[in-house]
Amino acid sequence: MSKISVDHVFTSESVSEGHPDKVCDQISDAILDACLAKDHKSRVACETLVTTNLVVNAGEITCSGWDQINPEAIARDVVNHIGYDHKELEFCSDTFEYIDRLHGQSPDISQGVSEGEGLHQEQGAGDQGMMFGYASDETEALMPAPIYYSHLLLDELQKIRKAGTIPYLRPDSKSQVSIQYIDGKPDHITAVVISHQTDDIPLEQIQADLQAVAEKILAPSGLLKDNIEYFINPTGKFVVGGPHGDAGLTGRKIIVDTYGGVGSHGGGAFSGKDPSKVDRSAAYYARYVAKNIVAAGLASKCEVQVAYAIGVAEPLSINIDTYSTGIMTDRKLEAIVKTSGLFDFRPAAIIQALGLLEPKGWSYRETAAYGHFGRISFPWEKTDQVDALKALVK
């Protein structure tokens, strides 16, 4: 099959754990972790709002141990861990006002989602909708290069901030990496943008320090060539930031959370949702399937779409798109995914295969900053079906 040649520049962004929306995602997921630790059958749909010295939780939670969980204490711990621990930031773990508006899940939803209830006796999808998973051989993590390196920059900067190596850094930050593709492959980085909240110090020092970090982190990629443009705190000053500078909400960084704009997105957010919500669990599983296909060498790019009806276990459709990079037609690959027995897209099967109700060696809170994909500690990143896929196409 012929390969598509594409020359273009593609840009993706990441935001740090101190970004207001990511503060919300982490609080919501920390509450989810606490619920699952008490009751692995918990139903959680937890939303968070933050602004100047205020945290609000709202949503639906059904958990048999809920009376032993203190969502306010969880929120304060998350905010403190991120680094909002000084009153002058106008958002501080010790001083923010907390409002709790959480309540139980609707029984109408529960009867369609819980196994043995409602019209269908098998656990059904927690909502209707379509979810996408994607993988590409552009990086060792089988992630698109622009989002992969955007995350890498901010992850390193948060480590530097917490270690005190650059003492003037504050928690809120964003990055962008633009990459020139030639013949459909990443060739070189054309621009790097870093906007990082800091103490009030000279811009020249900030630009010099952060460009040095960027060059160190990006050099191993082999994509640093001549004529890279660096835009570091391009407004000239970034002192007021975090929830004091901009309000935040759970679920507003869905492209940062996934593939940086590469491929498609079904529109559903992840954080604060237990895995009965296929917005989250099926997107994780679609990534798992796509990654195994690429890791097996069956395609250099792969997108998997799956769709559900609320309360129904079997997916309505599964679609495979390899962007003409597959070693077979997409329909043949789709047939393998559907009929080989290697993959099962029913919600209960997904939850069991990925261990989503009782996380071991990872937590949902960890997913809520620096991307849900491309990080090997998460079970949907395993490539345990590679040998079986290869055997099927011999």
Side-chain angles (χ1 to χ4, degrees), residues 291 374-379 381-383:
K291 187 175 182 182
R375 298 156 66 190
I376 198 64
S377 58
F378 300 143
E381 295 296 318
K382 61 187 177 182
T383 52

Side-chain angles (χ1 to χ4, degrees), residues 108-184:
D108 296 344
I109 296 175
S110 179
Q111 73 168 356
V113 176
S114 299
E115 188 174 1
E117 298 181 14
L119 297 175
H120 307 276
Q121 294 303 296
E122 186 176 3
Q123 178 178 340
D127 202 351
Q128 71 176 49
M130 63 282 188
M131 300 85 212
F132 292 87
Y134 183 87
S136 167
D137 63 5
E138 294 178 12
T139 62
E140 61 184 2
L142 301 187
M143 287 289 287
I147 189 66
Y148 179 76
Y149 291 113
S150 294
H151 285 324
L152 212 59
L153 280 175
L154 291 190
D155 188 36
E156 179 65 19
L157 284 168
Q158 67 92 10
K159 292 173 183 174
I160 288 171
R161 172 175 60 84
K162 289 182 174 179
T165 308
I166 301 179
Y168 58 78
L169 296 180
R170 291 180 175 180
D172 193 0
S173 61
K174 302 175 79 171
S175 68
Q176 272 185 193
V177 175
S178 301
I179 295 180
Q180 172 74 57
Y181 284 71
I182 295 179
D183 196 24

Side-chain angles (χ1 to χ4, degrees), residues 72-128:
E72 178 179 350
I74 291 170
R76 293 192 187 278
D77 176 69
V78 170
V79 170
N80 183 72
H81 178 78
I82 291 169
Y84 288 111
D85 53 5
H86 294 86
K87 292 181 181 179
E88 65 267 22
L89 297 176
E90 299 292 341
F91 183 77
C92 176
S93 58
D94 292 333
T95 61
F96 67 71
E97 178 186 358
Y98 179 78
I99 298 174
D100 179 356
R101 292 293 184 269
L102 296 162
H103 58 85
Q105 183 189 48
S106 162
D108 296 344
I109 296 175
S110 179
Q111 73 168 356
V113 176
S114 299
E115 188 174 1
E117 298 181 14
L119 297 175
H120 307 276
Q121 294 303 296
E122 186 176 3
Q123 178 178 340
D127 202 351
Q128 71 176 49

Side-chain angles (χ1 to χ4, degrees), residues 30-88:
I31 291 172
L32 169 62
D33 284 328
C35 291
L36 291 177
K38 290 291 184 184
D39 174 12
H40 73 271
K41 294 183 179 180
S42 293
R43 293 286 185 260
V44 179
C46 180
E47 310 295 341
T48 305
L49 159 72
V50 297
T51 187
T52 302
N53 250 0
L54 175 67
V55 174
V56 180
N57 280 132
E60 302 78 49
I61 293 180
T62 300
C63 170
S64 64
W66 180 245
D67 60 341
Q68 303 168 48
I69 294 171
N70 185 339
E72 178 179 350
I74 291 170
R76 293 192 187 278
D77 176 69
V78 170
V79 170
N80 183 72
H81 178 78
I82 291 169
Y84 288 111
D85 53 5
H86 294 86
K87 292 181 181 179
E88 65 267 22

Side-chain angles (χ1 to χ4, degrees), residues 142 285-299 302 304 320 327-328 332-343 345 382-394:
L142 301 187
Y285 200 71
R287 160 66 176 174
Y288 168 66
V289 175
K291 187 175 182 182
N292 274 270
I293 288 170
V294 173
L298 306 189
C302 182
V304 177
I320 307 292
I327 65 171
M328 64 184 74
K332 287 182 179 178
L333 189 53
E334 188 179 297
I336 289 173
V337 169
K338 289 178 177 179
T339 64
S340 66
L342 299 178
F343 304 109
F345 282 85
K382 61 187 177 182
T383 52
D384 56 348
Q385 299 292 1
V386 165
D387 289 342
L389 283 169
K390 288 179 177 179
L392 286 172
V393 299
K394 281 184 178 178

